[in-house]
Amino acid sequence: MRITSKWSMILACTICAGQGAAQAPSKAGPPSYPVLTYPTTSRAPVIPPSEAGLQTIVAQPWYSMTTTMPAFGGMDQNLFIEGPLFDAQGNLLFVEVQGGRVMRLSPKQDLTMILPKNEGHSSGLAFLKNGRILVAGGGGSIFSIRPDGSDKQVIIDPKAGYKPNDLAMDKEGGFYFTDFQGNNAGPTGGVYHVAPDMKTITPIITHLSMPNGIALSPEGKTLWIGEVGTGFLHRIDLATPTQISPVVGTTMRYHFTGATVDSLRTDVDGNVYAALAGEGRVMVFNPKGVPIGQILIPDRDRGELLFTTSMAIKPGTRELYILSSDYPGRTAKIHRAGAFAKAAAAPGP
């Protein structure tokens, strides 16, 4: 028995050695193990697999800008555009963030400056019911101006300690703003409501990490918020303009993967449009927060104009205008595509 066991062990070791020799990689041939590779055909940011199958369209260039254009008054900084808003005459208003300028682009594409360079870093625009233009972000303030840029009136002083970013008007003449502060270690940002008296400020939701985009549903009962630090798309159901519904009033409806959610807009059907800064695209969600489509900037394939910061739907139409910048850089563009539905009605002239 011991002899048999001995020879069995020798035979087994011989077989193992033979198998090991057979499995050893050949020094002459290429490696046989799988290799990870990157796609080399495009410089565009990768779209997550869960979003790649969405209904997708590509926007078309509509208007191009550079820092050397006379309308910018000798701009000496990077051209970064935000806050698009249409007036009753069909002009598209927007801000140049670094210098705080407010610009007006006519339907015939004549570009003029409404508000010259100021303390800078403006990012959001809205119309008050009296026709004045509301401007958020200029040095930590919110102020209003006449349509010609005159008669500046401060509504929130920088000393109040907010960092206003985006705006959303309610039906009564008040408005919401995002306080773009905090981080995941210290979520000190939030969303606040300013009453029609332009004095009473009510916190809606706090302890957020860099809240950015904000939009109100057409009936004024649902508030959408994009939170940069966490990547969440928040839905807040409102009982009144300043009170959250007592039953399941706040929910997180989507978690963006690798994207920086910027401004939000809604259409007349309640769909939500989210600009993804650094992605060169806009995602669209239905009123429940389910992704239903996306719009790509054609320049993203070359890795250009990726900072899609915001968008606006032209009233009475499905024409969606998307702002994108080659930031940091000297160029910016406005692209145009078709939205799911027409613009939601908004207060203002």
Side-chain angles (χ1 to χ4, degrees):
M1 285 295 294
R2 283 186 291 178
I3 294 176
T4 302
S5 298
K6 177 180 178 181
W7 283 107
S8 296
M9 292 175 64
I10 293 174
L11 179 60
C13 290
T14 302
I15 293 172
C16 289
Q19 289 177 340
Q23 292 175 357
S26 171
K27 293 182 180 181
S32 58
Y33 50 81
V35 179
L36 294 171
T37 61
Y38 289 105
T40 58
T41 56
S42 174
R43 296 179 60 190
V46 176
I47 295 176
S50 60
E51 298 165 5
L54 292 173
Q55 178 183 173
T56 302
I57 60 175
V58 178
Q60 298 298 313
W62 183 69
Y63 188 77
S64 299
M65 287 165 274
T66 67
T67 56
T68 59
M69 296 176 71
F72 288 112
M75 184 177 174
D76 55 359
Q77 295 176 318
N78 294 315
L79 183 54
F80 194 41
I81 57 176
E82 252 272 36
L85 173 72
F86 279 98
D87 65 17
Q89 291 72 44
N91 299 303
L92 180 63
L93 279 60
F94 60 91
V95 297
E96 176 274 303
V97 175
Q98 300 300 317
R101 298 171 175 87
V102 178
M103 312 299 296
R104 179 186 287 118
L105 182 61
S106 75
K108 295 183 178 180
Q109 299 188 344
D110 295 322
L111 184 65
T112 55
M113 182 165 55
I114 299 174
L115 185 68
K117 182 178 179 179
N118 51 79
E119 60 266 34
H121 299 289
S122 297
S123 55
L125 295 178
F127 276 118
L128 296 175
K129 280 192 171 183
N130 59 11
R132 294 178 65 89
I133 302 170
L134 194 64
V135 184
S141 70
I142 295 180
F143 59 90
S144 70
I145 55 175
R146 291 176 178 171
D148 62 1
S150 65
D151 189 29
K152 177 179 176 180
Q153 297 180 4
V154 175
I155 296 171
I156 294 181
D157 191 276
K159 295 179 182 178
Y162 300 107
K163 291 186 179 178
N165 193 292
D166 277 344
L167 303 165
M169 299 298 303
D170 68 22
K171 291 182 178 297
E172 286 72 32
F175 65 90
Y176 301 89
F177 72 91
T178 50
D179 180 23
F180 188 69
Q181 297 195 78
N183 53 43
N184 289 352
T188 57
V191 173
Y192 297 84
H193 178 268
V194 179
D197 63 9
M198 299 291 118
K199 296 179 181 179
T200 307
I201 302 175
T202 304
I204 303 300
I205 183 171
T206 56
H207 304 294
L208 297 181
S209 177
M210 294 182 286
N212 192 332
I214 188 167
L216 197 62
S217 61
E219 78 287 351
K221 294 295 185 180
T222 303
L223 190 66
W224 295 92
I225 302 163
E227 188 180 12
V228 171
T230 62
F232 283 122
L233 177 65
H234 296 261
R235 172 182 165 140
I236 299 180
D237 292 326
L238 299 169
T240 71
T242 58
Q243 293 182 325
I244 298 175
S245 296
V247 180
V248 197
T250 62
T251 53
M252 299 171 186
R253 291 305 174 100
Y254 196 75
H255 193 189
F256 296 95
T257 301
T260 299
V261 57
D262 207 310
S263 296
L264 305 178
R265 296 289 187 272
T266 54
D267 63 24
V268 72
D269 288 345
N271 299 311
V272 184
Y273 298 73
L276 302 183
E279 291 280 309
R281 66 187 178 118
V282 170
M283 279 188 68
V284 191
F285 302 81
N286 71 10
K288 297 293 185 182
V290 177
I292 56 175
Q294 62 185 336
I295 305 161
L296 307 182
I297 300 301
D299 309 81
R300 75 188 308 273
D301 286 337
R302 301 187 298 274
E304 300 173 359
L305 295 163
L306 297 177
F307 279 83
T308 40
T309 57
S310 191
M311 62 261 120
I313 304 174
K314 190 173 184 178
T317 77
R318 292 174 55 202
E319 295 178 14
L320 178 70
Y321 293 78
I322 305 169
L323 272 59
S324 61
S325 304
D326 204 19
Y327 183 79
R330 300 284 179 174
T331 60
K333 281 186 181 179
I334 299 175
H335 294 80
R336 185 168 60 178
F340 277 99
K342 295 180 180 181

